[in-house]
Amino acid sequence: MHHSIDTPEAIWRALDRFLFRVRQPARYVGGEVNSIQKNWDEISSRLVLLFPDTYEIGMSNLGMMILYDIVNEQANMLAERAFLPWVDMEAEMRQRGIPLYSLESFQPLGNFDVIGVTLPYEQLFTNVLSALDLAGFPLRAADRDASWPLVVAGGSAGLNPEPMHAFFDAFFIGEGEEGVLDIMRSYETWRRKFDIRPRVGWHPGGAQLRTTKDILLRSLAHIPGLYVPALYDVRYYADGRVRDIRIKPGYEKDAALPVQKRIMAILPPPLTRYIVPNIKTIHNRPSVEIQRGCTRGCRFCQAGIIFRPVRERPLDEVLRAVDEIIDSTGYEEISFLSLSASDYSRIGELTQAVVAKYADQNISIALPSLRIESFSVQLMETLAQGRRRSGFTFAPEAATDRLRDVINKPISTEALLAVADQVYSRGWTTIKLYFMIGHPTQTMADVEAIADLAHQVWHVGKHYLGHKAKVRLTISTLVPKPHTPFQWVAMADETEIRAQIAYLQHRLGGSAFHLNWNDPRETLMEAFLSRGDRRLSDVIQRAWELGARFDAWEDQFNDVAWQQAFAEHGLDPDWYARRPRDLDELLPWDHIHVGVDKSFLQEQYRLALAGGVVDDCHEHCYSCGILSHYRRERRQAPDDAWGCPALGRGKAHQPVSAHAVPMYFNPEMSPEQANTTRRPQRLSRLQAIGEETP
Amino acid sequence: MSQRKRQRLRVTFSTEGSIKYVGHLDLASVWERALRRAGLPVLYSQGFHPQPKIHFASALPVGVSGRAELMDVWLSPPQQPDDVARRLQPMLPRGLHVRAVFEVPLRAPALQTQVRGAMYRIWVESDATATAFRAQLEALLASAEIFLTRRRKKGVVRYNLRPLIQEVRFLGREEDGYAFFARLQSETGSTGRPDALLQALQLADAPRRIERLCLLGVTLDGCEISVADGAGADVNIPAGECIANQPGH
Ligand code: SF4
């Protein structure tokens, strides 16, 4: 596609002719407080951060905003933003030949050095193709020589990079705060050496530019955490399983195998100069990350593995950030970000302090992801400060004690009901419950228990509030994600999922309940995209050609396109989503190492099937691999900054064992092991939630 | 409990460039946050959902720039109006400008109830001849009724635009189109929108630039009448009709 509209002035003039009739035009023009527009001609190193979904969704992504801030801090670099236009806008842009452009300078993406694509979830894959195409780029990395910008992905959905390997030049694995600068510097060094500057309309072609690009990829592969898929070969068995993953001959000195996740030893200072969108976004508030990582070890949870180790932000740093954010943004709400806010060691002090300071300034505080315990009710009580109490959210994820042992989220139904009692009795009218169906070993009894539990919870509410009491349920289906103990598990059968949802609909039909569930077809897509291998690149491209895009949007999801794309390539989505893997099978993402060893995941999987529960590793280190792979980083951080024990110190308090020590085995699951259980190191947490230990 | 002293300030502001694409409700949040960034003590309503006390005279349609828009904001304790303007301006996003700030009586009638109409300067792309375009405008004025449909939340509503058009005046050829001036009624429940006018001219999708020059309405006692920055110099806004944007005396 050739664009005659390729300067910022021409782009703005063209936009101003029709923006009045597209949906929510403000998302296409930038100009927000705290957005940064540097002098384009004076800055040599230029990055555009692309979020391949709408502005409203992308602007809620903390990771992207952190990188924006870090790069713009550098005097010789600039970072701008781009988002995917909604379908109405895309049609207008295509019709007029307006290329995808950045919101700060209105520069076409083709004029940047590096395109940094944020990929937090797999449903964005087809959108990446839309964005590349709308920018005028060849879709495949192999078809882009050195005259094209470098296209790099980062984010959780890139931790199995293989399905998208054909489209990206590189994937950044892990935390990008330092890595982004490494990439920009490495690119700049190469750019100066070969006197290359990507720009719209300059693509002379030729072997020279291809060789130059090869030199670039080679040098990038030396950056820790950067995976350059073109430097690896994957071979398959006849049945489709991966046979081996190797570095291509000649690149052994450049590329790493496995590519290990990059982490920050100490959390960098929190972002405080938040861009303040002029329109409402999905998470219409800034957040302060109080803690990264989670030690709870829920076996279905990818975030719980890939964000290890736990690192806490010091309380005074959090409080200072709150002040600075309110000063610089004027937001009326702020939230504290953590996978499990309850586990932040100073959470009580933190809420007290912010309430004391800001309650009378009409600033409200959001605290997502609280554990099911009475302390959470106290915290919420402090934060509500006499305002309306609407909803209270808990995620038991499974409804029987037995199944919660399997997923390693041990809380008893009794304890849960006791917390529900505290919630309703204090005047909250709604409890939201998150459940997952399709866990391994699940039977229909476990699904029935979801409905039973919902009714029990409601009865607790009715006792205090009558029919004002409500229970909202969100039912999702387990997608066995890469890098989790459940990565070998088959996703549940579609007819089974449908029957289970229908059952729950039937049982929870009254006005007391509100039931949300995911379309099983969309869940299937998430499953094959997250568990796929390199062969899926062709399928993704074909589905996109057939019209698949905005797959995360229910009203846009195009199941037919996906089915046809799979059929045309002789592949089967169920083979990816619903095939149980052998524990020793080479998985398509095995060359990506997130710091947690495969042996640890295997052990957790075995324990899951035996009903073996392990404690939070704050209490007892299970040697998941983090400490051995990040020794250097551990040494750089203060002893109490990490959830993992300090090396060579404190072992007496926090023993490190080579094998996970289950606190107990569920006798229903593993009668022969139920009595052989060793005593857990500390019982405090279990006693706190009222659990009996054998 | 003793009531803290309150103050009601009237802010005249203009919008320029891309901020015109921000809708009215969002623009209200933009102001709310700017006031907070400026550290101004905005008064909040009581109750479960405390809301800042900011009232706008009239919503600016998406895609329309305003030269002299009005809003009232309540502060406690009171501040120097000039100081408020000075602190607010640097806190605003690109394209939003404070033109004037002055104090009005706490008991002055709500701004919204004072607005009767608005003046617009409209440029629209058209390849019609000047004579034909003019004739079209005149035909609008000559017709007894102009029925249009509007999509609302509860289905499509049919309404008559004609009584909402108070004046239309042709200004001349500009670039690839024509400029004209329009004075439309703007009262709660019966507001003529400039895009409806373009719809009536069969130019609903044509490129355009619309500026609201000023709001017309009941003037305040003791306030002098003027229009910001010579807005509407070429359209001859009748003196005595714009809502004031300057303190009197
Ligand atoms: S190394 Fe030990 S303490 Fe650290 S995350 Fe792994 S199991 Fe937990």
Side-chain angles (χ1 to χ4, degrees), chain A residues 295 308-310 600 617-618 620-627 643-645:
Chain A
T295 45
R308 286 183 184 210
V310 161
F600 174 81
C617 66
H618 248 301
H620 180 104
C621 173
Y622 297 119
S623 303
C624 68
I626 290 290
L627 274 180
C644 313

Side-chain angles (χ1 to χ4, degrees), chain A residues 242-316:
Chain A
V242 174
R243 189 167 150 207
D244 54 19
I245 304 169
R246 298 178 309 177
I247 298 172
K248 273 186 186 158
Y251 295 93
E252 293 89 347
K253 287 212 170 69
D254 308 299
L257 186 66
V259 175
Q260 195 184 305
K261 175 182 83 175
R262 185 103 166 244
I263 63 164
M264 302 298 292
I266 299 169
L267 294 185
L271 172 62
T272 55
R273 274 160 311 173
Y274 264 87
I275 294 176
V276 187
N278 289 329
I279 55 173
K280 254 207 182 93
T281 55
I282 298 298
H283 296 293
N284 208 19
R285 64 185 90 91
S287 40
V288 183
E289 187 185 30
I290 55 176
Q291 178 174 272
R292 199 173 285 183
C294 177
T295 45
R296 313 227 75 219
C298 302
R299 291 175 179 136
F300 56 85
C301 179
Q302 191 190 39
I305 298 291
I306 65 178
F307 293 117
R308 286 183 184 210
V310 161
R311 283 142 295 164
E312 275 206 0
R313 194 180 290 292
L315 180 63
D316 57 336

Side-chain angles (χ1 to χ4, degrees), chain A residues 148-162:
Chain A
W148 295 94
L150 185 78
V151 186
V152 185
S156 306
L159 293 184
N160 172 15
E162 298 304 81

Side-chain angles (χ1 to χ4, degrees), chain A residues 16-17 20 29 329-330 332, chain B residues 21 33 36-37 94 125:
Chain A
D16 204 27
R17 292 172 61 80
F20 67 90
V29 296
T329 66
E332 54 286 340
Chain B
Y21 291 118
R33 289 172 190 151
R36 195 180 283 118
R37 283 193 295 275
R94 185 178 76 200
E125 193 171 280

Side-chain angles (χ1 to χ4, degrees), chain A residues 588-623:
Chain A
W589 51 88
D590 272 349
H591 56 311
I592 304 299
H593 199 288
V594 297
V596 173
D597 289 325
K598 197 173 179 182
S599 56
F600 174 81
L601 300 177
Q602 285 165 332
E603 187 175 31
Q604 287 297 309
Y605 179 50
R606 285 194 202 98
L607 285 172
L609 298 182
V613 171
V614 300
D615 201 358
D616 188 315
C617 66
H618 248 301
E619 307 289 315
H620 180 104
C621 173
Y622 297 119
S623 303

